[in-house]
Amino acid sequence: LAAMNPAGTDAVLKRGQTVASNGLPLGPIYVCTRNDDLGPIIESTPADRRKDLVFFQNGMLDPLLEKYGLQLSPSNPNASTQCLVYFAVAKLGDKPMDGVTDLNPEGLTAAFGRHAESLARRLRSAGLSCKVPVEVIFQGMMLEKLIWISSFMLAGVKNGEVTVGEVEKDCTADVTVLIQELLASCRDANPFALFASDAAVTARLLAYGRSVAHFPTAMKEFPWRNGYFWDISQAAVSEGKADPAPTHSAWLKEYAPSVVPSDSSVAMFAATGEPARIVPATIIGGGLAKGLAAMNPA
């Protein structure tokens, strides 16, 4: 991210540095860290600057954002920004590669919130795509991405931690069952989010799997990923209802028992008008952070 600003006017913070301790100027604050670091980062950011935080993490962030009053609703005066990242940096120093697919050659990356437009300009200046959809469409896109990582990782682990490409090619039935179950869970739990048909969503997620075929599979950050669906299932069962994702629940217990909690829940937290320029930013994180900064030609 920092490499997207050749003028070097971004500030990149390293581990242990905070927005408060560095007296940084106004503007977006790109957070490119692990999910488990988000709480401390938010808490170390001055309250009046938290609305400038831009989150790049995978997974379900809504409960965390709500906990700190940063939920993305346009009616929230302290709304932050979230980016659904479909581009990737292979290793430190490499240029980001856009996550275009054979079904979506226009790209899948999207942003929503206070700094979505300025982030999109930065990414586009580096040849990367970035959509800025309205809230209900972004919500559906965010949940689709959550379905993708949760279904592909579990299907891969079930089949011996094969690559994402092997899941898409050789374990299509397994991952399709998971996609459709998790999509049904999302539809029920998020009635205001907009989704395409089951067939269209499945085809789009399989296509993205083909585009990142070399990615490994593993069960990581369970509370932020599969844990969202586990909680929905456990809540349904506790109310005497059918599990909306029975295959997902069963395979978690059988193939990833070490990540399944012993209790019933894993929930971690109960107008633009801008000039067409790259907005200087504060960037917290590692490899992705440096790539974002290079996108700022000012």
Side-chain angles (χ1 to χ4, degrees), residues 26-47:
L26 297 179
I29 303 170
Y30 297 148
V31 184
C32 310
T33 65
R34 294 175 59 86
N35 293 55
D36 289 343
D37 294 330
L38 292 178
I41 286 173
I42 294 172
E43 291 173 5
S44 69
T45 301

mmCIF file of all heavy atoms in Angstrom, residues 26-47:
data_model
loop_
_atom_site.group_PDB
_atom_site.id
_atom_site.type_symbol
_atom_site.label_atom_id
_atom_site.label_comp_id
_atom_site.label_asym_id
_atom_site.label_seq_id
_atom_site.Cartn_x
_atom_site.Cartn_y
_atom_site.Cartn_z
ATOM 1 N N LEU A 26 -4.278 14.301 9.863
ATOM 2 C CA LEU A 26 -5.588 13.768 9.519
ATOM 3 C C LEU A 26 -5.520 12.983 8.220
ATOM 4 O O LEU A 26 -4.623 13.169 7.409
ATOM 5 C CB LEU A 26 -6.593 14.911 9.397
ATOM 6 C CG LEU A 26 -6.864 15.728 10.664
ATOM 7 C CD1 LEU A 26 -7.867 16.834 10.354
ATOM 8 C CD2 LEU A 26 -7.383 14.839 11.773
ATOM 9 N N GLY A 27 -6.508 12.113 8.026
ATOM 10 C CA GLY A 27 -6.547 11.296 6.823
ATOM 11 C C GLY A 27 -6.827 9.857 7.177
ATOM 12 O O GLY A 27 -6.924 9.488 8.359
ATOM 13 N N PRO A 28 -6.975 8.997 6.174
ATOM 14 C CA PRO A 28 -7.274 7.586 6.444
ATOM 15 C C PRO A 28 -6.133 6.883 7.166
ATOM 16 O O PRO A 28 -4.967 7.226 6.990
ATOM 17 C CB PRO A 28 -7.489 7.000 5.039
ATOM 18 C CG PRO A 28 -6.731 7.914 4.127
ATOM 19 C CD PRO A 28 -6.859 9.283 4.733
ATOM 20 N N ILE A 29 -6.496 5.904 7.965
ATOM 21 C CA ILE A 29 -5.526 5.083 8.682
ATOM 22 C C ILE A 29 -5.750 3.643 8.230
ATOM 23 O O ILE A 29 -6.728 3.000 8.616
ATOM 24 C CB ILE A 29 -5.705 5.193 10.214
ATOM 25 C CG1 ILE A 29 -5.592 6.656 10.667
ATOM 26 C CG2 ILE A 29 -4.677 4.330 10.938
ATOM 27 C CD1 ILE A 29 -6.003 6.870 12.119
ATOM 28 N N TYR A 30 -4.872 3.138 7.374
ATOM 29 C CA TYR A 30 -5.025 1.797 6.818
ATOM 30 C C TYR A 30 -4.482 0.765 7.811
ATOM 31 O O TYR A 30 -3.299 0.793 8.157
ATOM 32 C CB TYR A 30 -4.282 1.684 5.489
ATOM 33 C CG TYR A 30 -4.806 2.584 4.393
ATOM 34 C CD1 TYR A 30 -3.948 3.111 3.433
ATOM 35 C CD2 TYR A 30 -6.155 2.910 4.310
ATOM 36 C CE1 TYR A 30 -4.421 3.938 2.417
ATOM 37 C CE2 TYR A 30 -6.631 3.736 3.306
ATOM 38 C CZ TYR A 30 -5.768 4.242 2.362
ATOM 39 O OH TYR A 30 -6.240 5.060 1.356
ATOM 40 N N VAL A 31 -5.342 -0.149 8.233
ATOM 41 C CA VAL A 31 -4.967 -1.149 9.228
ATOM 42 C C VAL A 31 -4.749 -2.485 8.524
ATOM 43 O O VAL A 31 -5.696 -3.113 8.051
ATOM 44 C CB VAL A 31 -6.046 -1.276 10.321
ATOM 45 C CG1 VAL A 31 -5.581 -2.245 11.407
ATOM 46 C CG2 VAL A 31 -6.361 0.090 10.923
ATOM 47 N N CYS A 32 -3.494 -2.923 8.441
ATOM 48 C CA CYS A 32 -3.115 -4.127 7.677
ATOM 49 C C CYS A 32 -2.466 -5.149 8.613
ATOM 50 O O CYS A 32 -1.348 -5.609 8.365
ATOM 51 C CB CYS A 32 -2.167 -3.761 6.546
ATOM 52 S SG CYS A 32 -2.716 -2.389 5.515
ATOM 53 N N THR A 33 -3.149 -5.481 9.682
ATOM 54 C CA THR A 33 -2.598 -6.381 10.690
ATOM 55 C C THR A 33 -3.457 -7.637 10.803
ATOM 56 O O THR A 33 -4.480 -7.776 10.129
ATOM 57 C CB THR A 33 -2.569 -5.689 12.060
ATOM 58 O OG1 THR A 33 -3.924 -5.427 12.467
ATOM 59 C CG2 THR A 33 -1.801 -4.376 11.999
ATOM 60 N N ARG A 34 -3.056 -8.534 11.686
ATOM 61 C CA ARG A 34 -3.865 -9.709 11.976
ATOM 62 C C ARG A 34 -5.142 -9.280 12.700
ATOM 63 O O ARG A 34 -5.174 -8.283 13.421
ATOM 64 C CB ARG A 34 -3.081 -10.686 12.858
ATOM 65 C CG ARG A 34 -1.870 -11.293 12.172
ATOM 66 C CD ARG A 34 -1.093 -12.160 13.151
ATOM 67 N NE ARG A 34 -1.919 -13.239 13.682
ATOM 68 C CZ ARG A 34 -2.082 -14.423 13.093
ATOM 69 N NH1 ARG A 34 -1.468 -14.672 11.949
ATOM 70 N NH2 ARG A 34 -2.846 -15.349 13.651
ATOM 71 N N ASN A 35 -6.183 -10.069 12.531
ATOM 72 C CA ASN A 35 -7.468 -9.746 13.156
ATOM 73 C C ASN A 35 -7.356 -9.620 14.673
ATOM 74 O O ASN A 35 -7.974 -8.740 15.278
ATOM 75 C CB ASN A 35 -8.495 -10.822 12.816
ATOM 76 C CG ASN A 35 -8.870 -10.840 11.353
ATOM 77 O OD1 ASN A 35 -8.004 -10.957 10.486
ATOM 78 N ND2 ASN A 35 -10.153 -10.742 11.055
ATOM 79 N N ASP A 36 -6.577 -10.487 15.291
ATOM 80 C CA ASP A 36 -6.488 -10.474 16.747
ATOM 81 C C ASP A 36 -5.824 -9.219 17.285
ATOM 82 O O ASP A 36 -5.897 -8.952 18.490
ATOM 83 C CB ASP A 36 -5.731 -11.709 17.244
ATOM 84 C CG ASP A 36 -6.538 -12.987 17.061
ATOM 85 O OD1 ASP A 36 -7.768 -12.893 16.871
ATOM 86 O OD2 ASP A 36 -5.947 -14.084 17.114
ATOM 87 N N ASP A 37 -5.173 -8.444 16.425
ATOM 88 C CA ASP A 37 -4.538 -7.198 16.861
ATOM 89 C C ASP A 37 -5.482 -5.997 16.758
ATOM 90 O O ASP A 37 -5.123 -4.892 17.186
ATOM 91 C CB ASP A 37 -3.289 -6.904 16.006
ATOM 92 C CG ASP A 37 -2.192 -7.938 16.215
ATOM 93 O OD1 ASP A 37 -2.101 -8.492 17.319
ATOM 94 O OD2 ASP A 37 -1.425 -8.188 15.266
ATOM 95 N N LEU A 38 -6.660 -6.192 16.204
ATOM 96 C CA LEU A 38 -7.522 -5.051 15.900
ATOM 97 C C LEU A 38 -8.023 -4.339 17.152
ATOM 98 O O LEU A 38 -8.054 -3.107 17.203
ATOM 99 C CB LEU A 38 -8.703 -5.498 15.041
ATOM 100 C CG LEU A 38 -8.347 -5.942 13.618
ATOM 101 C CD1 LEU A 38 -9.589 -6.418 12.880
ATOM 102 C CD2 LEU A 38 -7.672 -4.817 12.849
ATOM 103 N N GLY A 39 -8.436 -5.099 18.161
ATOM 104 C CA GLY A 39 -8.927 -4.474 19.382
ATOM 105 C C GLY A 39 -7.921 -3.523 20.001
ATOM 106 O O GLY A 39 -8.226 -2.347 20.242
ATOM 107 N N PRO A 40 -6.687 -3.989 20.254
ATOM 108 C CA PRO A 40 -5.676 -3.088 20.818
ATOM 109 C C PRO A 40 -5.364 -1.898 19.923
ATOM 110 O O PRO A 40 -5.104 -0.797 20.421
ATOM 111 C CB PRO A 40 -4.451 -4.003 20.966
ATOM 112 C CG PRO A 40 -5.024 -5.371 21.125
ATOM 113 C CD PRO A 40 -6.233 -5.395 20.244
ATOM 114 N N ILE A 41 -5.390 -2.086 18.599
ATOM 115 C CA ILE A 41 -5.114 -0.968 17.699
ATOM 116 C C ILE A 41 -6.209 0.087 17.802
ATOM 117 O O ILE A 41 -5.941 1.291 17.884
ATOM 118 C CB ILE A 41 -4.959 -1.469 16.248
ATOM 119 C CG1 ILE A 41 -3.616 -2.180 16.086
ATOM 120 C CG2 ILE A 41 -5.071 -0.310 15.256
ATOM 121 C CD1 ILE A 41 -3.439 -2.858 14.762
ATOM 122 N N ILE A 42 -7.456 -0.354 17.812
ATOM 123 C CA ILE A 42 -8.554 0.600 17.949
ATOM 124 C C ILE A 42 -8.445 1.339 19.279
ATOM 125 O O ILE A 42 -8.587 2.573 19.337
ATOM 126 C CB ILE A 42 -9.913 -0.123 17.840
ATOM 127 C CG1 ILE A 42 -10.102 -0.694 16.429
ATOM 128 C CG2 ILE A 42 -11.062 0.830 18.184
ATOM 129 C CD1 ILE A 42 -11.314 -1.589 16.278
ATOM 130 N N GLU A 43 -8.176 0.601 20.346
ATOM 131 C CA GLU A 43 -8.119 1.219 21.668
ATOM 132 C C GLU A 43 -6.950 2.192 21.811
ATOM 133 O O GLU A 43 -7.029 3.155 22.577
ATOM 134 C CB GLU A 43 -8.056 0.132 22.732
ATOM 135 C CG GLU A 43 -9.356 -0.657 22.838
ATOM 136 C CD GLU A 43 -9.262 -1.836 23.773
ATOM 137 O OE1 GLU A 43 -8.203 -1.996 24.428
ATOM 138 O OE2 GLU A 43 -10.252 -2.607 23.863
ATOM 139 N N SER A 44 -5.867 1.954 21.073
ATOM 140 C CA SER A 44 -4.713 2.847 21.148
ATOM 141 C C SER A 44 -4.849 4.054 20.222
ATOM 142 O O SER A 44 -4.009 4.955 20.254
ATOM 143 C CB SER A 44 -3.427 2.084 20.801
ATOM 144 O OG SER A 44 -3.403 1.727 19.426
ATOM 145 N N THR A 45 -5.883 4.056 19.411
ATOM 146 C CA THR A 45 -6.131 5.177 18.498
ATOM 147 C C THR A 45 -7.028 6.197 19.198
ATOM 148 O O THR A 45 -8.053 5.824 19.778
ATOM 149 C CB THR A 45 -6.822 4.682 17.218
ATOM 150 O OG1 THR A 45 -5.986 3.705 16.567
ATOM 151 C CG2 THR A 45 -7.075 5.834 16.255
ATOM 152 N N PRO A 46 -6.670 7.477 19.176
ATOM 153 C CA PRO A 46 -7.520 8.484 19.816
ATOM 154 C C PRO A 46 -8.958 8.384 19.333
ATOM 155 O O PRO A 46 -9.213 8.116 18.152
ATOM 156 C CB PRO A 46 -6.876 9.809 19.387
ATOM 157 C CG PRO A 46 -5.438 9.456 19.141
ATOM 158 C CD PRO A 46 -5.460 8.070 18.569
ATOM 159 N N ALA A 47 -9.909 8.593 20.233
ATOM 160 C CA ALA A 47 -11.322 8.408 19.906
ATOM 161 C C ALA A 47 -11.744 9.223 18.689
ATOM 162 O O ALA A 47 -12.536 8.760 17.858
ATOM 163 C CB ALA A 47 -12.184 8.777 21.111
#
